[in-house]
Amino acid sequence: MCKGDRTSKGRLASLEALQQAALGESEQGVTRWLDGAGLADAPRLAQQMNVESGWEDAVETVLGQYLEAVCVDGLDDPASALGRLEQGSVTMLDLGAGGAQITDPKFLAAKVEAPGSLASLLSGVRVAEDLAQALTMRSGLDDGESVITRDGIWLGSNWLRVQKDQDARSG
């Protein structure tokens, strides 16, 4: 094996470890609970969705920790097992119960493809190409609506959120 192959394989292993950490799979208490609840192999939301090119930062900003959500078929059974979760945090998402798909290109939900609807998480989040456009749109937002820029600056009628992580695990 040549040095380049070893370096590439080492980088791949490091990236896979970072990805697992970013998806929350390294948290041992949750991992044991997921195994006991029969959800160890359940996919995470980040693994189940495709985002329109250029809108990844915006989706990551809005969904945040929901990207780690365990995709389940119904919430009743996993919820009944929560009493056995002793440590850690877990988010479960029933993609089949999220409502209708949003296809209006003015909304972030139209930039995301997933096996089910993400309307419950992305409803009311409008999109803007840049901060200047978002600031202009802000005064016309309805109650409960917000606007996010392509690069992930998120605004409501009276708030603004920006997250500039340099964390290698993000994304």
Side-chain angles (χ1 to χ4, degrees):
M1 178 183 294
C2 72
K3 182 179 179 182
D5 288 341
R6 282 188 295 230
T7 302
S8 295
K9 287 184 179 189
R11 287 195 68 195
L12 178 61
S14 295
L15 289 171
E16 287 173 346
L18 287 171
Q19 182 181 28
Q20 284 181 339
L23 293 174
E25 294 174 350
S26 63
E27 193 175 318
Q28 292 182 358
V30 172
T31 302
R32 282 191 300 274
W33 180 83
L34 288 170
D35 189 42
L39 298 171
D41 294 327
R44 303 298 177 102
L45 178 58
Q47 298 167 326
Q48 295 293 299
M49 53 188 267
N50 291 311
V51 177
E52 184 178 311
S53 181
W55 288 96
E56 296 87 350
D57 288 342
V59 170
E60 185 173 357
T61 297
V62 172
L63 291 180
Q65 290 184 331
Y66 282 104
L67 292 170
E68 300 175 10
V70 178
C71 297
V72 296
D73 186 22
L75 292 173
D76 292 345
D77 289 341
S80 67
L82 286 175
R84 295 191 307 268
L85 179 62
E86 296 175 8
Q87 180 180 357
S89 71
V90 64
T91 301
M92 291 171 276
L93 183 61
D94 182 356
L95 288 175
Q101 295 284 357
I102 298 172
T103 57
D104 186 337
K106 294 182 288 192
F107 291 93
L108 186 60
K111 312 280 186 204
V112 180
E113 291 179 20
S117 174
L118 295 179
S120 63
L121 298 176
L122 298 177
S123 177
V125 181
R126 295 182 173 271
V127 294
E129 285 297 319
D130 55 35
L131 182 57
Q133 183 183 16
L135 288 167
T136 301
M137 294 172 64
R138 197 181 78 206
S139 64
L141 294 174
D142 291 331
D143 287 343
E145 285 189 332
S146 58
V147 60
I148 189 148
T149 65
R150 184 181 286 269
D151 61 350
I153 301 172
W154 194 11
L155 301 93
S157 60
N158 65 344
W159 56 269
L160 180 144
R161 178 177 177 206
V162 63
Q163 183 175 335
K164 298 287 186 180
D165 285 341
Q166 296 301 319
D167 188 346
R169 295 182 302 169
S170 67

